[in-house]
Amino acid sequence: GENLVKMASIMNASRAVGRSGVGAVMGSKNLKAVAVRGTKGIMVADGEGFKEAVLAFLDEIKKSPKIGLEARSTYGTWRIIAAMKNMGMLPTRNFQAGFMEGIPEIADIRKEILVKATSCFACPFACGRRTRITDPEFEGEGEGPEHESYSQLGPCCGVTDLKAVTKAAYLCNEMGMDTISTGVTIACAMELYEKGYLPEKDLPFPISFGNKYAVGKLVQVIVKREGIGDLLAEGSYRLAEYYGHPEISMTVKKQEMPALHPQGYQGIALAYATSNRGACHTKSGLRFEKRFEIAGQAALTKADQDFIAVVDSSGLCWTIFGGLLMLEDELLTELELATGVGYSGETMMLAGERIFNLERLFNLRAGITADDDTLPRRMLEEPVLKGENEGQVARVDEMLPEYYKLRGWDENGIPTPEKLAQLGLTREGEL
């Protein structure tokens, strides 16, 4: 963050406020840390009712096959790696493919590097992983790698070696860097190099796809902004633009895409394109049943984005309340017992819609427009060549008009005066 690396994170022990370069914002202000100490407890509107609701929810978690507590605590996010590989949605070689051979099995990961499961405070899911590598080549200990870290520092860079990827993730954690953007930026550099756009004279060593040593080494030059690291530290869009090929940057609104290949799921393609903070997998639900169809995706995406805005603002976990589950009833119950505001399902979702629109207004003032609600050209024009997703492209342009209409925005993606008035986002004399 102090070196203004664009993918710098704000770190809390082993967890990260990882995306959008917020660590660089702190670094630019010479802000070292934020420390908070509470002494008076936390008051909620209905303490007994809230306690009962939480205990009932925990009991439901233990019994529900839909929630899958045992699988989540046993395998953590590693189980997603196998699922994405099987669905052809594992970003490979800078999103040129969605599948790669040689991905380690969960049993092998557990056997080779797992120390123990870890959790955020009081969370029964314990989806975190404390790991250790004893191999002198990649020796280290730390958290992860989570699904996103392994995918983007690994297959996205053409690398499957578990220890090499885990070591690169350790380095990112230690230095405070977003593993998603770091991995995709390195993958972009590898493609630029292999296609002859990034000359070897600009590099400290060759960086072809599959070079398991290159990933960790490049993390270290990015942190220090040494040589090519100075360009890599600006993120993949500016890197690719510098070498004359911005289309090789796999970004939305200049933020690198996460580890769900959008050509394998039309809903996530629309969610990436319309996310207010650029490509992000945690701002929508994951509904894979009709993933190649575009019918209904606009309505689902809008509803999911509004709901998850409430989840985020409540300080709750997307993995539990959002993601595959979308636990709207459970959130409403706990939110109302905690606040006593008088929320209904409708007013809760309206609060989320207000948040999403306020973010949109911020972006519009910053110069981000409907032209930025899109995906890299590769996702739109170059079909997947093999696997379950063969022949698929992301059909964002077909879904956007309906999405804008459902949002109450005009054809240019601008919230209408009527929508702003409905949401209370107007000031006297201003629409």
Side-chain angles (χ1 to χ4, degrees):
E2 293 177 6
N3 288 339
L4 306 187
V5 175
K6 293 295 191 293
M7 60 279 284
S9 305
I10 299 171
M11 305 300 294
N12 172 27
S14 60
R15 293 296 177 181
V17 182
R19 311 231 62 203
S20 307
V22 286
V25 175
M26 282 180 62
S28 72
K29 300 176 185 300
N30 200 31
L31 174 61
K32 305 291 186 179
V34 177
V36 179
R37 178 172 180 263
T39 60
K40 296 184 178 180
I42 299 170
M43 301 300 294
V44 297
D46 182 349
E48 281 304 310
F50 186 79
K51 181 178 178 181
E52 289 175 12
V54 170
L55 291 175
F57 179 52
L58 292 175
D59 190 51
E60 179 189 353
I61 284 174
K62 293 173 185 176
K63 296 175 181 177
S64 171
K66 176 186 175 184
I67 294 175
L69 173 62
E70 184 176 354
R72 287 168 179 249
S73 58
T74 301
Y75 303 117
T77 62
W78 290 344
R79 65 200 174 95
I80 306 174
I81 299 170
M84 292 302 100
K85 182 187 76 170
N86 294 337
M87 295 171 70
M89 290 181 60
L90 188 69
T92 301
R93 296 168 65 91
N94 199 31
F95 288 82
Q96 293 181 85
F99 175 83
M100 189 171 185
E101 298 286 357
I103 304 299
E105 300 292 333
I106 293 178
D108 295 330
I109 299 175
R110 288 169 58 81
K111 181 179 178 181
E112 288 187 38
I113 64 172
L114 180 63
V115 175
K116 64 178 181 178
T118 61
S119 74
C120 297
F121 176 74
C123 179
F125 282 85
C127 67
R129 292 293 175 271
R130 184 75 183 177
T131 56
R132 180 185 300 125
I133 303 172
T134 56
D135 183 338
E137 258 192 328
F138 303 108
E139 188 174 4
E141 183 171 349
E143 292 284 328
E146 303 291 347
H147 155 237
E148 293 285 339
S149 301
Y150 177 81
S151 296
Q152 305 308 64
L153 292 166
C156 197
C157 297
V159 177
T160 59
D161 186 282
L162 176 63
K163 295 173 183 177
V165 176
T166 300
K167 179 64 174 182
Y170 289 165
L171 290 169
C172 286
N173 285 341
E174 289 164 11
M175 302 298 179
M177 281 177 21
D178 171 22
T179 54
I180 298 173
S181 282
T182 300
V184 178
T185 297
I186 291 172
C188 176
M190 288 176 164
E191 184 174 350
L192 288 167
Y193 172 71
E194 287 205 347
K195 291 186 171 175
Y197 304 139
L198 197 172
E200 193 162 332
K201 67 178 179 62
D202 289 0
L203 297 169
F205 45 81
I207 59 168
S208 298
F209 282 119
N211 184 338
K212 68 179 183 179
Y213 301 103
V215 180
K217 289 180 179 178
L218 286 173
V219 169
Q220 296 179 70
V221 299
I222 291 171
V223 169
K224 299 174 184 177
R225 284 186 173 268
E226 291 179 349
I228 191 66
D230 195 41
L231 267 177
L232 291 167
E234 294 296 304
S236 69
Y237 186 87
R238 294 172 183 84
L239 171 74
E241 186 178 47
Y242 179 85
Y243 286 106
H245 290 275
E247 75 279 1
I248 290 178
S249 167
M250 296 298 109
T251 53
V252 175
K253 301 179 178 75
K254 297 184 176 65
Q255 174 153 274
E256 286 72 19
M257 293 197 297
L260 300 173
H261 200 305
Q263 287 178 318
Y265 176 20
Q266 296 297 334
I268 206 69
L270 182 62
Y272 282 1
T274 56
S275 169
N276 287 319
R277 70 171 185 176
C280 180
H281 62 296
T282 67
K283 300 303 177 186
S284 185
L286 303 176
R287 307 168 190 268
F288 297 109
E289 294 84 3
K290 298 180 179 179
R291 58 193 179 103
F292 298 131
E293 298 180 15
I294 64 170
Q297 297 289 6
L300 282 173
T301 299
K302 176 196 177 295
D304 288 355
Q305 289 170 334
D306 293 346
F307 173 66
I308 288 170
V310 180
V311 173
D312 289 345
S313 298
S314 302
L316 294 171
C317 176
W318 171 83
T319 304
I320 299 174
F321 283 86
L324 294 166
L325 301 177
M326 305 302 288
L327 303 178
E328 295 182 17
D329 292 341
E330 290 83 354
L331 175 59
L332 177 61
T333 297
E334 294 186 17
L335 184 64
E336 176 53 27
L337 290 168
T339 65
V341 167
Y343 281 108
S344 65
E346 182 180 358
T347 57
M348 180 181 76
M349 293 298 287
L350 194 67
E353 187 176 11
R354 185 179 299 113
I355 293 164
F356 197 90
N357 276 266
L358 187 59
E359 293 171 348
R360 181 73 173 191
L361 293 175
F362 181 96
N363 279 357
L364 288 167
R365 287 193 177 186
I368 297 171
T369 71
D371 290 340
D372 299 298
D373 291 337
T374 189
L375 297 180
R377 192 169 71 199
R378 172 173 295 157
M379 302 295 105
L380 306 174
E381 299 177 4
E382 301 175 20
V384 176
L385 297 179
K386 65 178 182 178
E388 278 193 43
N389 307 332
E390 184 174 355
Q392 293 290 329
V393 293
R395 297 160 64 187
V396 172
D397 291 345
E398 297 177 54
M399 296 181 280
L400 268 182
E402 181 187 2
Y403 175 85
Y404 285 170
K405 185 176 181 180
L406 289 169
R407 279 242 168 256
W409 299 350
D410 66 19
E411 65 275 10
N412 296 312
I414 299 172
T416 63
E418 293 78 15
K419 174 53 67 175
L420 295 180
Q422 178 199 1
L423 297 174
L425 292 176
T426 61
R427 291 182 293 189
E428 187 176 350
E430 180 182 354
L431 276 179

